[in-house]
Amino acid sequence: LARGGGLEMDERTTNEPVIDPEEILEGIKQWVEIETPSHLGEEVNKLVDVVEKSIQALGAEIIRVPGRDGYGDILKARTSWGHPGEEKGILVLSHLDTVHPIGIIEDPLPWKREDDHVQGPGIYDMKSGAHMAFYAYQHLVRQGKSSKLPITFLYIPEEEIGSPTSQAMIEDEAKKHKYVLVTEPARDGNKCVTERKGSGRFEIRTTGRQAHSGMRHQDGRSAILEMARQIIAIEAMTDYEKEVTLNVGEIQGGTGVNVVPGECVIGVDLRMPTPELAKEYVDKILNLKAYNEDVELVVTGGLNRPPYKKDEGITTLYEHARGLAAEIGFDLQDTATGGGSDGNFTAALGIPTLDGLGADGHGAHTLDETIYFSSIEPMTKLWVRLFETLE
């Protein structure tokens, strides 16, 4: 790693382009106003179109992989700047999808700016960070400068539901790069992320026997009753001392209030901090047994994202970024989080990965999704300096 060589060029001279947070915010607004729910691939592709056109205009080489299973396209943009095609460089990971449904930008989460707070669907997680990294590359192009390493931008269409169609490409691209920088949001005062819990996703289905609840209740075998017992057992596996949590977040079942329910389905989320705990708890869930032998229990799913631990390579990359931040004028602290990201995949491969380099704010996945305008400029300057100095 090359240490930073002082403040940004645009801070030392007046005849070169400056990093303008108002311009960055206007670009973020354009991306936020294109609503992109993960499951609506055609809507996600409207933003993919905009990003492709913008980054191609800056000289990037584009590969666009058509989406499948109803999800959007994967966009890859490589900025070689004369570097050999096989040279390992910097992979910038972003996702363009959000958890919010179409129409939420009209009400109840419209674009709104009040003092330092700016709100909108997906602004914090993570359209602000994705655009800031793009802007940093644009800034170098405007200055006629280049990075020490080739940069590849990879835009993912379905991260919010586990990256089912893009995981293989993420891992394949990561292996071709020396560093991975993830544009997920910063935390609690511009803190970046150097550790994340792993996550598992499961669907559990119980199939019983329907019956009229008034006339032949005794003939029924309630799928909901069986599932209620399973839910209590699953939630009881949560162990805060081990930092393991299980959450039954979705449930569907039954056909009518006067029918003994024949079927019930739940969705289960598992979070854990280590590979050992991942194996232990995945095995526990996959080996659940029905309490009622007359009810069939089927469990599908497994580990979705491996735990992301702060190893020597991540520590070195973080310390380099922290030194650059100090030159810019702020103290870059790091933190661990229970939320997963595509950085879990790359860190698990042993590739130095630094996450949480987007805008600071709060309210991810809520109707209070907010970024702090004051975080845009320093974090974007950090992106520029990382591009300029990593080698």
Side-chain angles (χ1 to χ4, degrees), residues 221-328:
R221 299 294 183 268
S222 174
I224 289 179
L225 175 59
E226 173 64 37
M227 191 66 81
R229 292 170 173 166
Q230 297 292 338
I231 291 170
I232 291 171
I234 291 165
E235 294 277 358
M237 293 181 194
T238 290
D239 188 326
Y240 293 125
E241 290 187 3
K242 292 182 178 179
E243 300 182 59
V244 174
T245 58
L246 291 99
N247 182 67
V248 178
E250 297 177 333
I251 184 167
Q252 296 176 339
T255 57
V257 70
N258 61 344
V259 181
V260 176
E263 190 168 79
C264 187
V265 182
I266 62 171
V268 180
D269 177 89
L270 165 68
R271 304 293 169 121
M272 81 304 289
T274 68
E276 294 77 18
L277 287 168
K279 184 179 187 310
E280 177 185 346
Y281 279 83
V282 168
D283 287 347
K284 283 182 179 181
I285 297 172
L286 291 178
N287 287 295
L288 289 171
K289 304 299 182 185
Y291 290 88
N292 186 336
E293 63 182 14
D294 291 335
V295 177
E296 181 185 20
L297 176 73
V298 177
V299 183
T300 57
L303 187 66
N304 174 249
R305 289 191 171 98
Y308 163 2
K309 301 299 290 181
K310 185 180 180 181
D311 58 16
E312 182 178 352
I314 292 171
T315 299
T316 302
L317 179 56
Y318 161 64
E319 291 296 341
H320 176 70
R322 190 179 184 191
L324 297 175
E327 295 172 1
I328 293 166

Side-chain angles (χ1 to χ4, degrees), residues 44-65:
V44 174
N45 281 346
K46 292 177 182 178
L47 181 52
V48 177
D49 292 341
V50 170
V51 176
E52 178 182 15
K53 182 177 179 180
S54 298
I55 203 164
Q56 190 171 36
L58 296 173
E61 301 170 2
I62 301 295
I63 294 177
R64 183 162 172 171
V65 179

Side-chain angles (χ1 to χ4, degrees), residues 211-219 258:
H212 191 291
S213 64
M215 296 172 60
R216 299 297 301 178
H217 189 278
Q218 67 274 21
D219 293 344
N258 61 344

